[in-house]
C-alpha cells in the first residue's frame, strides 16, 4: 500500500510539473520556437510619406492593443532616406499572423496605403537566442 | 512683500516642474529625441557562423547587463540565409554608443570576429513614434 501511495505521489508531482511548464510556455510566447519574427522593408512614394506614417502608426497601435498574438510591431525609417521604412514585427505564431491579416485595422492599412508603396520586401527572421528575448527589451518598458 | 512672496512661489513651482521633467526623461530614455536606433546588416563567412553567433551573443548579453546606456540589442538572422545577420541596436544617446565601443566586451567581439565578417552595413534609423516605444515591447517582457 505504501508503494502504491508513493506511485500516486510521483504521478501527482509529474502532472503538476507538466502543468507548470505549460503555464510558463503560455506566459512566455517569445521563447517558443513557433514565434514569428520579421523585418518588413518598404519603400514609400515620398509624396505620401506623412499620410503613410499616420496610417501605419494607427494600424500598429490597434494591432498591439487588440491582438494578443501580435507581440511587437516597431516601425522605423532610415535617417538618410525617410521614405525607406523598416518594421520589426513579432507574432506569437503563424496562426496569430494569419489572424492579423484578416483584422479590420490591417485591411484598412493595406487598402489605404497600397498606392503609396513602391516596393515591399518581407524577410522572415529568426531570433538568435529565444531564451534571452525576455531580457532584451526590459529596459524599454521600465 | 506679498508680490515678492508670489514671485518666490512661482520660482519654486518652476524649479520643481523642471526637476520633475528631468527625472521623467531619465526614467524614459527611449522617449528622448537623443535615442540612437540602428540596424546592423552583417554578412558572415558561413564557415565561422556558429563561432560568430556565440561571440555575438556573449557580447550582446554583457552590453545589456553592464551598460546602462545600451537599451536593447536584438540579434537575428535571415531564415532563408542564416549567414545574413541583422541586429537591432538601441542606445540611450550617441555618448552611450561611443562608450560602448570602448568596453572590453565590445573590443573582444570586434577583434575576434573581424576575419569572419564579409560585409558590414550600419544603418541609422529613427523610431516612427518615440512616445509609443514604451508600449511596443511590453508583451515581450511580461
Amino acid at each position: 500500500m505504501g508503494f502504491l501511495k508513493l506511485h500516486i505521489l510521483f504521478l501527482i508531482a509529474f502532472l503538476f510539473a507538466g502543468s507548470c511548464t505549460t503555464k510558463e510556455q503560455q506566459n512566455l510566447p517569445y521563447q517558443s520556437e513557433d514565434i514569428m519574427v520579421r523585418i518588413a522593408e518598404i519603400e514609400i512614394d515620398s509624396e505620401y510619406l506623412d499620410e503613410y506614417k499616420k496610417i501605419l502608426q494607427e494600424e500598429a497601435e490597434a494591432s498591439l492593443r487588440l491582438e494578443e498574438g501580435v507581440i511587437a510591431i516597431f516601425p522605423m525609417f532610415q535617417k538618410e532616406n525617410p521614405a525607406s521604412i523598416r518594421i520589426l514585427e513579432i507574432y506569437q505564431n503563424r496562426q496569430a499572423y494569419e489572424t492579423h491579416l484578416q483584422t479590420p485595422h490591417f485591411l484598412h492599412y493595406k487598402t489605404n496605403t497600397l498606392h503609396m508603396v513602391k516596393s515591399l520586401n518581407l524577410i522572415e527572421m529568426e531570433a538568435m537566442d529565444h531564451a534571452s528575448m525576455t531580457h532584451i527589451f526590459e529596459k524599454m518598458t521600465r
Side-chain angles (χ1 to χ4, degrees), chain A residues 41-46 48-49 52 56 83 85 87 109-121:
Chain A
E41 298 183 342
I42 307 170
E43 303 302 314
I44 298 297
D45 187 335
S46 317
Y48 301 108
L49 196 51
Y52 172 80
L56 171 59
I85 309 291
I87 312 172
Y109 160 80
K110 195 71 186 173
T111 49
N112 286 280
T113 59
L114 208 57
H115 63 291
M116 307 173 182
V117 174
K118 283 162 66 179
S119 75
L120 168 67
N121 194 14

Side-chain angles (χ1 to χ4, degrees), chain A residues 21-34:
Chain A
T21 308
T22 310
K23 191 162 183 295
E24 196 170 278
Q25 279 168 352
Q26 279 170 354
N27 283 345
L28 304 171
Y30 42 83
Q31 290 190 357
S32 158
E33 291 299 316
D34 295 339

Side-chain angles (χ1 to χ4, degrees), chain A residues 18 28-29 32 47 51 59 69 91 104-105 115 119 134:
Chain A
L28 304 171
S32 158
E47 194 188 334
E51 203 181 336
E59 193 271 342
Y91 304 96
H105 47 271
H115 63 291
S119 75
T134 178

